[in-house]
Amino acid sequence: MDECQQTSGTDHYEQRARPNDVKIAVIGMGYVGLVSGACFAESGIDVTCADIDERKISRLNLGEIPIYEPGLDALVGMNLEAGRLTFTTDVAAAVRSSHVVFIEVGTPPGDDGSADLEQVLAVARTIGRAMNEQKVVVTKGTVPVGTAAAVRATIEEASAFPVHVCSSPAFLKEGNAVDDFMKPDRIVIGTDSAYAADTLQDLYAPFVRSGHSVLMMDVASAEITQYAANSMLATRIGP
Ligand SMILES: NC(=O)c1ccc[n+]([C@@H]2O[C@H](COP(=O)([O-])OP(=O)(O)OC[C@H]3O[C@@H](n4cnc5c(N)ncnc54)[C@H](O)[C@@H]3O)[C@@H](O)[C@H]2O)c1
């Protein structure tokens, strides 16, 4: 797929679940995962949010938000009450019950400054063991080029079900993250799968009604987009 091409991608259209039936899992309830899960639920999608941190999940099930982000507590509260948002420590069950799985765990810098992918690959191993049907898997973190390929290889070591691994980086500013997700300047989707392109475009459609388009590109281009955007921002605030 050419960079920044809008796809029509209808080859698998008939086979995929209709948008309202699509269930998603968000794995990793940090800053990015919690905002994404709450915003997707607000758009009408059933979202299962999973994290291995039992204390964090217990608090979220009580509607207690571990971070301060304007508007987030209301979104979580309303969608918990509506039954569209659930929180669990059972990551495998969240994967099994979902058509689309977003990996939003941490990627802390290692000793040499490169992103430590241990959490991402741990989730990929869990997804591989839990696969029970064709799924779309999306990496949303700040990850180096080649991460989606590594995630795909890890999942395929444990499963023969088709898996479409995509990259869709998060462009969220702390303090404005809910607004950034709901009314994004841009949504980037990196995939070589028409099935995944269609599925993700449907999921993101409610967030681009104000006219901003979804930028479709190949996986590696999407992976480098976050680094390019961060570098550009750093040069703007530099001396
Ligand atoms: N924080 C930001 O402003 C920001 C903005 C844009 C992009 N990003 C990127 O988004 C990604 C996520 O960042 P964050 O700040 O939300 O992360 P975070 O470190 O705050 O949270 C990660 C969460 O993942 C959970 N986790 C770890 N291993 C797990 C596993 N195996 N299964 C399930 N859950 C697991 C942890 O318990 C934790 O709650 C990173 O790649 C980051 O670089 C962050």
Side-chain angles (χ1 to χ4, degrees):
M1 192 179 303
D2 291 336
E3 190 172 345
C4 296
Q5 203 179 38
Q6 287 282 356
T7 55
S8 59
T10 52
D11 54 347
H12 295 281
Y13 194 85
E14 292 74 17
Q15 299 166 25
R16 82 198 146 96
R18 300 302 307 149
N20 289 342
D21 300 331
V22 168
K23 293 185 181 358
I24 73 171
V26 178
I27 315 299
M29 283 297 99
Y31 173 83
V32 176
L34 183 53
V35 170
S36 317
C39 291
F40 275 127
E42 180 66 9
S43 77
I45 303 280
D46 280 345
V47 185
T48 306
C49 295
D51 199 292
I52 52 174
D53 183 333
E54 292 185 7
R55 187 161 176 271
K56 188 179 272 188
I57 292 298
S58 301
R59 288 186 59 194
L60 285 167
N61 271 320
L62 296 171
E64 293 174 15
I65 311 299
I67 54 172
Y68 176 69
E69 193 57 46
L72 186 58
D73 52 350
L75 273 193
V76 170
M78 282 187 302
N79 285 286
L80 260 176
E81 204 172 311
R84 283 190 298 270
L85 195 57
T86 52
F87 294 103
T88 180
T89 53
D90 191 340
V91 179
V95 171
R96 278 195 296 274
S97 65
S98 301
H99 306 105
V100 183
V101 181
F102 288 88
I103 304 179
E104 312 209 19
V105 292
T107 52
D111 293 340
D112 62 355
S114 62
D116 179 348
L117 296 180
E118 186 41 48
Q119 295 179 28
V120 173
L121 295 177
V123 173
R125 288 191 288 276
T126 304
I127 295 172
R129 291 193 294 271
M131 287 287 284
N132 54 353
E133 60 174 358
Q134 167 173 240
K135 292 186 197 294
V136 175
V137 172
V138 188
T139 64
K140 269 198 92 64
T142 310
V143 292
V145 172
T147 302
V151 166
R152 180 184 178 144
T154 304
I155 294 170
E156 288 179 340
E157 271 173 28
S159 161
F161 287 104
V163 62
H164 309 264
V165 182
C166 316
S167 166
S168 181
F171 302 105
L172 305 179
K173 290 184 294 298
E174 291 191 21
N176 203 51
V178 170
D179 246 27
D180 285 344
F181 197 99
M182 290 297 201
K183 291 176 270 179
D185 291 338
R186 61 192 175 284
I187 288 174
V188 169
I189 298 174
T191 182
D192 55 8
S193 153
Y195 173 86
D198 277 357
T199 304
L200 294 180
Q201 280 181 311
D202 283 344
L203 277 181
Y204 282 123
F207 307 106
V208 291
R209 290 204 178 114
S210 54
H212 296 295
S213 60
V214 178
L215 302 173
M216 303 301 302
M217 58 189 75
D218 60 56
V219 176
S221 300
E223 287 175 330
I224 211 158
T225 299
Q226 177 105 57
Y227 288 98
N230 289 354
S231 304
M232 187 272 288
L233 289 172
T235 58
R236 275 196 184 173
I237 60 173

